[in-house]
Amino acid sequence: MKKNIFFSWFSRIKNKNKKILEDNPKKIISVNNISNEIIKKNNNHKFDKIISNAIDTSIVKDITKNSKNDCKDLSIDNNSNVQKIIHREVKNTLISEIKLHKNTIVSKNRFVLKLREALKKTRDNFSIGIKSIFLTSYIDSKLFDTIEEMLLLADVGLETTTVIIKHLKSEVLHKKFKTTQEVYNELKRQMLLILSVAIKEKSTNISAGTYPFVILVVGVNGVGKTTNIAKLAVKYKNLGKKVMLVAGDTFRAAAIEQLKLWGSKIHVSVIAQHVNADSAAVVFDAMKSAKAKNIDILIVDTAGRLHNNINLMNELKKIKKVIKKIDVLAPHEIFLVVDSCNGQNTLIQTELFHKLLHLTGIIVTKLDGTAKGGIIFSIVHKFSIPIRYISTGEKINDLRTFDNNDFINSIF
């Protein structure tokens, strides 16, 4: 065949077969499964061989079919040597395309596995118990009583649990469920629905005229506020943003030093003053500095305070007011950091902080240390505040954007 005709033909086949991979969900699923196997066996160096074999078995038929059709279209002899060349070249192209997305796929799957591990206590307390009931029970009042007990033990909360049980009973009545498996599936679907508000995450969208994008971080003592501020800073820095931190907790010298230490570790500038300085004044100076230096994101640490200390809570209003003097739209985000181990007390904290500041999101910490991760359902259901991030460990990259599907799949 003529050289120019061959390359024209090959280009058509290559593009067409790229589309096969992109358009066929089954192929994408197979790539995810392969990535999972690589992670489990820690065989990243075998990626090329594994994915090559997968393409041989799952796509070769599509390639052969397309190649034959194009051979006919161009009146080219469909001999075995040409087929081998086309198959080899198209396969190499597909491998290159998949490798471009490999890191994203592997990173995502690693996090899901880590999340499942972190939520093991919650899953053991909740899902395993419920599954055993569904395997042995009939659809009767005892089944609903057991589900209710399991939900309460997982710290889903009385109000949210009551809504879930009421919904399940209604669905059983109207849809005439015949098996406990149907009830189980509906329970999972309903709990996913409760978290749907978390999908409406307001992204940190930096647009012209919003510099700096101000994030005010609040919470009671001991929830891991300062550490998670550093994790947030790294997250945004990895997105290419210029980040600055503000040591707004001026009551404790240790708090100022801790934030400075984090700033040094992650190479982010920190605005701080002396102990007992006016925290609102510190934030005001930081706002001016951030504007002058064209900082993208300014993250403000605040003093840990008891939610029932009126004077300290009112100081937060003062900080917010000072921020608005420089930018009427700021703070653009107000995150409350809560410790999942605190259980239902977290609801009281959320209620008071939300009433005072109008929170835009929740950061949930220490999910790896509790059997009561169900508090997330209670927070979202009662206040309709999205869970923005969850922390599942002490490492700097252990803060992840909350995904309701991943969370549900990790506890069921």
Side-chain angles (χ1 to χ4, degrees), residues 133-354:
I133 295 300
F134 279 112
L135 288 173
T136 59
S137 295
Y138 298 100
I139 301 177
D140 55 16
S141 59
K142 184 180 179 181
L143 173 65
F144 293 114
D145 289 343
T146 305
I147 296 172
E148 182 178 24
E149 182 182 352
M150 291 291 181
L151 291 173
L152 291 173
L153 286 173
D155 233 350
V156 173
L158 181 59
E159 184 179 333
T160 308
T161 297
T162 301
V163 170
I164 292 172
I165 297 299
K166 184 178 179 181
H167 171 82
L168 286 178
K169 288 180 177 179
S170 175
E171 289 296 289
V172 167
L173 182 64
H174 289 95
K175 294 185 178 180
K176 298 180 179 179
F177 290 154
K178 295 181 179 179
T179 66
T180 55
Q181 182 61 46
E182 290 175 296
V183 180
Y184 177 81
N185 292 338
E186 183 58 30
L187 171 63
K188 186 175 179 180
R189 191 191 72 82
Q190 178 63 14
M191 296 188 78
L192 181 62
L193 191 62
I194 288 173
L195 295 178
S196 63
V197 70
I199 298 174
K200 302 171 184 177
E201 178 183 337
K202 184 174 67 176
S203 63
T204 305
N205 184 21
I206 311 299
S207 57
T210 62
Y211 299 104
F213 190 96
V214 183
I215 301 174
L216 184 64
V217 183
V218 300
V220 302
N221 292 301
V223 294
K225 194 162 66 287
T226 305
T227 301
N228 281 282
I229 283 173
K231 292 179 181 180
L232 269 180
V234 169
K235 192 172 187 67
Y236 295 136
K237 188 180 175 185
N238 289 342
L239 294 174
K241 306 299 181 184
K242 290 176 65 178
V243 183
M244 177 183 283
L245 305 180
V246 187
D249 182 357
T250 59
F251 291 97
R252 296 183 304 122
I256 298 173
E257 291 306 314
Q258 184 184 9
L259 196 64
K260 283 182 176 180
L261 182 60
W262 271 119
S264 177
K265 284 182 178 179
I266 62 178
H267 306 292
V268 170
S269 60
V270 177
I271 300 297
Q273 292 185 20
H274 57 84
V275 181
N276 294 324
D278 185 343
S279 55
V282 175
V283 174
F284 184 81
D285 290 343
M287 287 283 292
K288 284 188 171 182
S289 177
K291 275 189 171 293
K293 295 178 181 179
N294 294 320
I295 295 295
D296 294 320
I297 299 178
L298 185 70
I299 307 177
V300 182
D301 189 13
T302 58
R305 62 204 69 217
L306 294 174
H307 49 278
N308 56 5
N309 188 318
I310 303 302
N311 292 331
L312 287 177
M313 291 292 283
N314 284 335
E315 188 182 80
L316 286 176
K317 292 174 69 175
K318 182 183 176 183
I319 292 174
K320 184 178 179 181
K321 186 177 179 181
V322 164
I323 292 173
K324 286 189 175 297
K325 283 184 178 180
I326 296 179
D327 185 347
V328 69
L329 297 177
H332 305 90
E333 297 275 20
I334 304 177
F335 291 157
L336 173 67
V337 182
V338 298
D339 183 342
S340 58
C341 299
N342 287 340
Q344 292 299 301
N345 190 43
T346 300
L347 294 181
I348 301 172
Q349 296 170 21
T350 305
E351 183 175 10
L352 293 176
F353 278 103
H354 190 41

Side-chain angles (χ1 to χ4, degrees), residues 369-396:
T370 180
K372 298 188 175 184
I375 189 62
I376 283 180
F377 296 97
S378 205
I379 293 172
V380 175
H381 177 251
K382 187 169 183 177
F383 302 106
S384 295
I385 305 171
I387 307 297
R388 301 295 292 277
Y389 299 98
I390 55 175
S391 179
T392 57
E394 294 298 322
K395 294 181 181 178
I396 198 68

